Each structure stands twice: as C-alpha cells, then as structure tokens.
Amino acid sequence: MNNGLVQLTSHRIWHIPNFNVWGVQNLGEIEYLNLEQVDSTKSVAFGSISIGDSSQSVTFAGLTDRRGNSLPANITKALVIARPLSDRQVFMVGTETSTGFKIARDSKSNKPVTTDLLIIELGE
C-alpha cells in the first residue's frame, strides 16, 4: 500500500455537528485591597482574583460524532478545529490535552454560538 495513504488513514477523525459553545474567555486578573475593622481590630488584606474565567471545558468522552458514536476518553495528540455556523466566532483556549480541550465564544454574543467541530488524532 502507498506510504502516504497509510499515514493519512492511520489517524482517526471525528466530526461533531452543532456543538453549542457557551463559555467566554478569561477577562483578566485584578488585584484588590480589603480594609476591615472588627471592634477595635483593624486589618488589611491584599489579594488577586481572576474575573470572567468561564471558558468551557470539554472532555472527548462526553462527545458524540455525527454517526452517533461516542469519542474515546483519550486521543493521542488531538487537534480540534472549530467551524462556527454564524458570524460569531469561537476559539480554542490553551492547547488540547489527551482527554479534552477548552473552548470559548465571542464575548460580544449574548447567547451560545453553534459550531461544528473536527477532531483529528495526530498520533505519535
């Protein structure tokens, strides 16, 4: 068999249609100073907190492809490609792991964004 054809067909590919993306990207981290007085005791506290961190975590095991097949729990070197079905964009947050990925939608959209996902197992 042709070496290129073997290489191409040795990797699994899944198409997940009409996936709803509701998460939004992290808006950043803020630092704060808190002053407190309880009776005669005064306290000052300093800290930082992430705001708006509600990106959507997705596990491969929780997905079903267009044929109704569940995806495996682990995918070796997965590549996830999102194709939005509207003018609102979606994007990957960070990098894919062997068990899943994070995805977020355009924060200007006031509702979930529907997208098609193409997941490719790149392998070793």
Side-chain angles (χ1 to χ4, degrees):
M1 188 178 231
N2 183 333
N3 245 0
L5 186 57
V6 170
Q7 180 73 13
L8 182 63
T9 59
S10 66
H11 304 298
R12 298 180 290 180
I13 299 174
W14 298 270
H15 174 241
I16 292 83
N18 302 319
F19 182 80
N20 286 318
V21 179
W22 48 260
V24 292
Q25 173 64 355
N26 185 343
L27 298 177
E29 191 166 304
I30 61 168
E31 296 177 338
Y32 64 89
L33 185 66
N34 185 30
L35 306 172
E36 179 180 73
Q37 181 174 352
V38 177
D39 297 328
S40 63
T41 305
K42 296 179 182 178
S43 301
V44 176
F46 175 78
S48 65
I49 188 170
S50 293
I51 56 172
D53 187 14
S54 61
S55 57
Q56 185 173 348
S57 294
V58 181
T59 60
F60 294 126
L63 295 174
T64 304
D65 71 4
R66 66 181 177 88
R67 295 183 180 131
N69 300 317
S70 297
L71 272 64
N74 289 296
I75 297 177
T76 306
K77 292 188 180 175
L79 173 65
V80 180
I81 301 170
R83 183 178 156 259
L85 300 176
S86 68
D87 60 339
R88 294 297 181 185
Q89 293 300 311
V90 299
F91 52 92
M92 305 306 295
V93 178
T95 58
E96 299 90 339
T97 67
S98 63
T99 58
F101 58 95
K102 284 188 171 189
I103 192 166
R105 64 176 166 81
D106 183 355
S107 60
K108 295 175 186 166
S109 177
N110 58 359
K111 61 182 180 176
V113 175
T114 303
T115 186
D116 283 351
L117 297 176
L118 183 65
I119 300 175
I120 305 169
E121 181 179 43
L122 299 175
E124 296 300 325

